[in-house]
Amino acid sequence: MVYPRVSLYALMLAAAGIPLYIHLPRFASVNLGIGLGAIGAILLVIRLVDLVQDPLLGWAIDRWPKAQALFAMLAAAGLAIGFPILFALQPGGSVTFRLIAVLVLLFSAYSLGMILLYGRSATLAKSTDEHDLMTLAAFRESGMLAGVVIAAIAPAVFLGLGASGQGYPAFGLFLGALAIAVAVMSFPIWRRTPILGEGLTFSGLAGAGALRLLVLALVNSLPVAVTSTLFLFFVEDRLQLPGKAGPLLILFFLCAGLSVPLWTRLSRLVGTKMTLVISMPLAILGFVGAAFLAPGSLVGFAIICVASGAALGADMVVLPAMFSVVLTKAGLSASTAFGIWSFAGKLGLALAAFAVLPLLERNGFQPGQINSDGALNTLNIAYAVVPCILKLCAFGLVLALPTEERYE
């Protein structure tokens, strides 16, 4: 029952991540009346907190291994408290400061849970063998993607049931209840005896090959961060497909989830590096295709969601598994390392939001309003062209990875 409980905990974290990464920009701009430039600045401020916080959280998990159950419950408690507060916020004079406060709580709880879950890969797997670590990764990422689908569809479901505020207040209560339920059901996995490594050093990371993967993780997170931040804007405003963002988001993540077993099996046949060499061009083709779509192109964008979702499945299962394998083989402290890994991923989101949201605002883009051709063209470039270039850079880093056994 360990792996299903791992999937369940991952589901909770992913369901929490979707509103933070995808729903937040639109909720804050439309429901709270906060400008896109201010939202980008808020996300950057929170990332500055993470700059110090995430590595410290990883260090604390390794420093007090017997407290891993307490850390797991604290993460769930932060989500259970924070989400009902977040989506109950109302516009007003101090809404920006209230938003920052609750986001710090939510991102801290989310970080704690994610670092613990990934940093304890060797503990939660059947053994430290690479095959078992990949199996754990498949269960974990399948749970992640199930949580993503649930979180993507939930606001629309609540809205359809008559909930107010575009379904967001009910969504917040649902996420809080989900966190409590998962905390109870997943508790037994955190009573396993932790497998610990040696202290983390720069030379240790470099010698294990982990630094290369950290750089790759940061660069590879940028295109996903940009498209996640702008997904709702692109569908609703650029493609002019009102009400279709939810189903398209579900299609995207369903394809990612369905692809996970295929990528896992392929990685065992051809190696992890070659698996990324095969998957990344799918994402690149998706970005290219999105740039040339005409308004109303529902079928065309659905096809792009299928291809890019499948590519995301490879990123989600292969990259963290590669990182976990090199850390385990080198005997390094995984939680501290995944604290740095977590920060690298979230730094990508912050850089994306800080760069593209003010750019859209300066070019006159307003969510949910009639926009000029120039504003929509800027949105098109930001959503499709810029991520394509970034993904090409990540692809180049993958090609430069050594092909020794430690990456296979």
Side-chain angles (χ1 to χ4, degrees), residues 8 14 26 68-70 72 80 132 152 160 179 231 249 323 352 356 373 381 385 400-401:
L8 196 61
R26 192 169 189 89
Q68 63 184 11
L70 174 62
D132 288 325
F231 184 88
L249 198 59
F323 194 60
V356 300
D373 290 341
I381 293 172
V385 179
L401 286 175

Short mmCIF file of all heavy atoms in Angstrom, two decimals, residues 8 14 26 68-70 72 80 132 152 160 179 231 249 323 352 356 373 381 385 400-401:
data_model
loop_
_atom_site.label_atom_id
_atom_site.label_comp_id
_atom_site.label_asym_id
_atom_site.label_seq_id
_atom_site.Cartn_x
_atom_site.Cartn_y
_atom_site.Cartn_z
N LEU A 8 -1.35 9.25 -3.64
CA LEU A 8 -2.37 10.09 -3.00
C LEU A 8 -1.77 11.40 -2.49
O LEU A 8 -2.34 12.48 -2.67
CB LEU A 8 -3.02 9.31 -1.85
CG LEU A 8 -4.34 9.84 -1.30
CD1 LEU A 8 -5.41 9.87 -2.38
CD2 LEU A 8 -4.80 8.98 -0.12
N ALA A 14 -0.25 18.20 -6.19
CA ALA A 14 -0.51 18.68 -7.55
C ALA A 14 -1.80 19.47 -7.62
O ALA A 14 -1.88 20.49 -8.32
CB ALA A 14 -0.57 17.50 -8.51
N ARG A 26 -5.21 34.75 -13.27
CA ARG A 26 -6.54 35.19 -13.69
C ARG A 26 -7.43 35.54 -12.49
O ARG A 26 -8.17 36.52 -12.52
CB ARG A 26 -7.20 34.11 -14.55
CG ARG A 26 -8.45 34.63 -15.26
CD ARG A 26 -8.97 33.67 -16.31
NE ARG A 26 -10.03 34.27 -17.11
CZ ARG A 26 -9.85 34.96 -18.20
NH1 ARG A 26 -8.63 35.14 -18.65
NH2 ARG A 26 -10.86 35.47 -18.87
N GLN A 68 9.84 13.35 9.91
CA GLN A 68 9.28 13.43 8.56
C GLN A 68 7.75 13.35 8.57
O GLN A 68 7.08 13.99 7.75
CB GLN A 68 9.88 12.36 7.67
CG GLN A 68 9.60 10.93 8.06
CD GLN A 68 10.31 9.93 7.15
OE1 GLN A 68 11.17 10.31 6.34
NE2 GLN A 68 9.99 8.65 7.28
N ALA A 69 7.17 12.60 9.51
CA ALA A 69 5.70 12.55 9.61
C ALA A 69 5.15 13.91 10.01
O ALA A 69 4.12 14.37 9.50
CB ALA A 69 5.26 11.48 10.60
N LEU A 70 5.84 14.59 10.94
CA LEU A 70 5.42 15.92 11.36
C LEU A 70 5.50 16.90 10.19
O LEU A 70 4.57 17.70 9.96
CB LEU A 70 6.30 16.41 12.51
CG LEU A 70 6.08 17.86 12.97
CD1 LEU A 70 4.67 18.05 13.50
CD2 LEU A 70 7.12 18.25 14.04
N ALA A 72 5.27 16.19 7.02
CA ALA A 72 4.22 15.86 6.06
C ALA A 72 2.87 16.42 6.51
O ALA A 72 2.09 16.93 5.70
CB ALA A 72 4.12 14.34 5.89
N ALA A 80 -4.48 23.13 3.90
CA ALA A 80 -5.87 23.07 4.39
C ALA A 80 -6.34 24.42 4.92
O ALA A 80 -7.51 24.79 4.79
CB ALA A 80 -6.00 22.01 5.48
N ASP A 132 13.52 0.35 -9.16
CA ASP A 132 12.50 0.65 -8.15
C ASP A 132 12.29 2.16 -7.99
O ASP A 132 11.17 2.61 -7.71
CB ASP A 132 12.89 0.02 -6.81
CG ASP A 132 12.74 -1.49 -6.82
OD1 ASP A 132 11.80 -1.99 -7.48
OD2 ASP A 132 13.57 -2.18 -6.19
N ALA A 152 -7.92 21.12 -12.27
CA ALA A 152 -8.24 21.85 -13.49
C ALA A 152 -9.75 21.92 -13.71
O ALA A 152 -10.28 22.93 -14.18
CB ALA A 152 -7.56 21.19 -14.68
N GLY A 160 -20.69 25.37 -12.37
CA GLY A 160 -21.87 24.75 -12.97
C GLY A 160 -22.91 24.37 -11.93
O GLY A 160 -24.11 24.30 -12.24
N ALA A 179 -6.85 18.24 1.47
CA ALA A 179 -5.58 18.18 2.20
C ALA A 179 -5.75 17.44 3.53
O ALA A 179 -4.89 16.63 3.92
CB ALA A 179 -5.04 19.59 2.44
N PHE A 231 -1.75 30.31 -19.94
CA PHE A 231 -2.64 29.35 -20.60
C PHE A 231 -4.08 29.87 -20.69
O PHE A 231 -4.70 29.87 -21.77
CB PHE A 231 -2.61 28.02 -19.86
CG PHE A 231 -3.43 26.94 -20.53
CD1 PHE A 231 -2.87 26.14 -21.50
CD2 PHE A 231 -4.76 26.73 -20.19
CE1 PHE A 231 -3.61 25.14 -22.13
CE2 PHE A 231 -5.51 25.75 -20.82
CZ PHE A 231 -4.94 24.95 -21.79
N LEU A 249 -7.35 22.08 -20.65
CA LEU A 249 -6.36 21.84 -19.60
C LEU A 249 -6.43 20.39 -19.13
O LEU A 249 -5.41 19.73 -18.91
CB LEU A 249 -6.61 22.80 -18.44
CG LEU A 249 -5.47 23.03 -17.44
CD1 LEU A 249 -4.24 23.57 -18.16
CD2 LEU A 249 -5.92 23.98 -16.35
N PHE A 323 17.66 12.79 -11.30
CA PHE A 323 18.28 13.51 -10.19
C PHE A 323 18.37 12.61 -8.96
O PHE A 323 19.40 12.56 -8.28
CB PHE A 323 17.46 14.76 -9.89
CG PHE A 323 18.15 15.77 -9.00
CD1 PHE A 323 19.35 16.34 -9.39
CD2 PHE A 323 17.59 16.15 -7.80
CE1 PHE A 323 19.99 17.27 -8.58
CE2 PHE A 323 18.21 17.09 -6.99
CZ PHE A 323 19.42 17.64 -7.39
N ALA A 352 9.31 33.82 -15.29
CA ALA A 352 8.33 33.88 -16.37
C ALA A 352 7.27 34.93 -16.08
O ALA A 352 6.95 35.77 -16.94
CB ALA A 352 7.68 32.51 -16.56
N VAL A 356 6.84 38.22 -18.43
CA VAL A 356 5.79 38.28 -19.44
C VAL A 356 4.56 39.07 -19.00
O VAL A 356 3.92 39.73 -19.83
CB VAL A 356 5.37 36.87 -19.90
CG1 VAL A 356 6.55 36.13 -20.49
CG2 VAL A 356 4.73 36.06 -18.79
N ASP A 373 -4.96 44.20 -31.86
CA ASP A 373 -4.15 43.19 -32.55
C ASP A 373 -2.73 43.15 -31.99
O ASP A 373 -2.13 42.08 -31.86
CB ASP A 373 -4.10 43.48 -34.05
CG ASP A 373 -5.45 43.23 -34.72
OD1 ASP A 373 -6.29 42.51 -34.12
OD2 ASP A 373 -5.66 43.76 -35.84
N ILE A 381 3.29 35.82 -28.99
CA ILE A 381 4.75 35.66 -28.93
C ILE A 381 5.17 35.14 -27.56
O ILE A 381 6.00 34.24 -27.44
CB ILE A 381 5.45 37.00 -29.24
CG1 ILE A 381 5.21 37.38 -30.71
CG2 ILE A 381 6.94 36.92 -28.94
CD1 ILE A 381 5.69 38.77 -31.08
N VAL A 385 6.19 31.61 -28.94
CA VAL A 385 7.51 31.80 -29.53
C VAL A 385 8.61 31.74 -28.47
O VAL A 385 9.61 31.01 -28.61
CB VAL A 385 7.58 33.12 -30.31
CG1 VAL A 385 8.98 33.31 -30.88
CG2 VAL A 385 6.54 33.15 -31.42
N ALA A 400 23.82 17.60 -24.50
CA ALA A 400 25.18 17.72 -23.95
C ALA A 400 25.42 16.84 -22.73
O ALA A 400 26.55 16.73 -22.26
CB ALA A 400 25.45 19.19 -23.58
N LEU A 401 24.37 16.19 -22.20
CA LEU A 401 24.54 15.31 -21.04
C LEU A 401 25.44 14.14 -21.41
O LEU A 401 25.34 13.58 -22.51
CB LEU A 401 23.19 14.77 -20.57
CG LEU A 401 22.25 15.73 -19.83
CD1 LEU A 401 20.92 15.03 -19.54
CD2 LEU A 401 22.87 16.23 -18.54
#
